[in-house]
Amino acid sequence: MTISTTDSLTVNALTVDQRIIVPLDVPTAEAALRLIDSLPQVSFWKVGLELFISAGPGMLQELKARDKRIFLDLKLHDIPNTMAGACAAATRYGVDILTLHASAGQMGLAAALSAAQAESAAQNLPLPLIVAVTLLTSISAEALATELRVPLKPEAYVLQMAQMTQDVGLGGVVCSPQEVSQLRRFLPPDFALVCPGVRPTWASTNDQQRTLTPAQALQAGATYLVIGRPITASPDPAAAFQRICDECATALN
């Protein structure tokens, strides 16, 4: 199944299972391939820092060979020139979603987007959906204030980062599900909201601080949900994935 970046933002055209991204949070390519092949019904996979550093771009090629969509979650955060080069390279991999840190600032985000657009045109490849991480879902209001010394509540900080991201021209943000309703009031419907920190009522929250259930997040206006351990750490990952899909479909009908 291949869906273009533009089509991926037409949320009504996607089934619930196409809106759930499962992380490959494993240390090796071998473990990742076992997980992918054990869940053939999952169409969208996230490759994060651990696996990308361990397995390299070959992991992306394996996913594409299986006709899977790829969320390359590297959370790039550097000077504008470095971010531009990294985004151009990521575009050549043909990934569907790529993450940056919004806190890199407007110049860094703009340089990254411009480089991806140029590389996409030069290589005749689809432009990835580039989204900016607003605030990590592991960071609580207390940590934001006392550790990072940001004099804003999380929802105000996230809104500020999201509006800056939109002003630059990126296609969306990564945010906690608790901020989705607020962002939907201020941002256009085609601006993607990608939500980690989503946990069913029957799963542990682990290290996530600002959570909702998958059904609640979709009802609030989330575009994509990133759901890992409730699926991958389950005794029956396929059954857990299907249970989440069923709960979401029921809530949306």
Side-chain angles (χ1 to χ4, degrees):
M1 178 192 64
T2 301
I3 299 176
S4 72
T5 298
T6 300
D7 290 340
S8 73
L9 294 181
T10 308
V11 178
N12 292 336
L14 299 178
T15 59
V16 167
D17 62 293
Q18 293 168 344
R19 297 171 64 179
I20 296 174
I21 303 171
V22 179
L24 288 167
D25 290 338
V26 293
T28 66
E30 292 75 17
L33 293 175
R34 284 196 299 270
L35 183 55
I36 294 164
D37 292 339
S38 72
L39 285 165
Q41 61 271 65
V42 174
S43 62
F44 213 150
W45 293 91
K46 179 175 82 73
V47 176
L49 281 169
E50 180 182 15
L51 183 59
F52 190 75
I53 291 172
S54 170
M59 191 67 244
L60 307 181
Q61 294 169 353
E62 292 284 357
L63 284 163
K64 291 189 76 66
R66 289 164 169 77
D67 201 23
K68 303 298 184 181
R69 303 180 71 201
I70 302 170
F71 175 20
L72 185 57
D73 187 26
L74 301 183
K75 299 182 179 70
L76 301 172
H77 187 175
D78 214 306
I79 63 172
N81 188 61
T82 300
M83 289 181 68
C87 281
T91 299
R92 291 195 292 272
Y93 294 143
V95 301
D96 297 276
I97 302 180
L98 174 66
T99 54
L100 320 174
H101 263 295
S103 56
Q106 287 185 326
M107 288 182 61
L109 299 183
L113 176 61
S114 178
Q117 290 171 329
E119 193 66 22
S120 171
Q123 302 295 331
N124 195 27
L125 291 169
L127 178 68
L129 172 63
I130 303 177
V131 297
V133 176
T134 54
L135 182 67
L136 296 174
T137 53
S138 59
I139 296 177
S140 64
E142 181 182 5
L144 184 65
T146 62
E147 296 175 19
L148 302 184
R149 299 292 183 181
V150 174
L152 295 173
K153 292 182 178 180
E155 55 269 23
Y157 180 79
V158 167
L159 178 59
Q160 179 176 309
M161 293 293 101
Q163 289 177 324
M164 178 188 69
T165 298
Q166 185 201 12
D167 289 344
V168 170
L170 269 63
V173 294
V174 179
C175 63
S176 104
Q178 291 188 357
E179 285 101 41
V180 168
S181 292
Q182 174 188 234
L183 294 182
R184 279 289 171 234
R185 291 197 297 270
F186 293 96
L187 298 166
D190 63 347
F191 190 76
L193 303 181
V194 182
C195 294
V198 178
R199 291 290 183 268
T201 55
W202 40 267
S204 169
T205 59
N206 299 110
D207 56 353
Q208 304 291 350
Q209 298 293 325
R210 306 186 329 275
T211 69
L212 288 180
T213 68
Q216 288 170 333
L218 290 179
Q219 287 174 322
T223 311
Y224 292 107
L225 309 179
V226 182
I227 308 175
R229 282 167 285 190
I231 296 170
T232 58
S234 169
D236 189 340
F241 178 77
Q242 189 58 52
R243 182 177 178 182
I244 291 170
C245 290
D246 291 344
E247 290 176 358
C248 291
T250 298
L252 292 177
N253 288 336

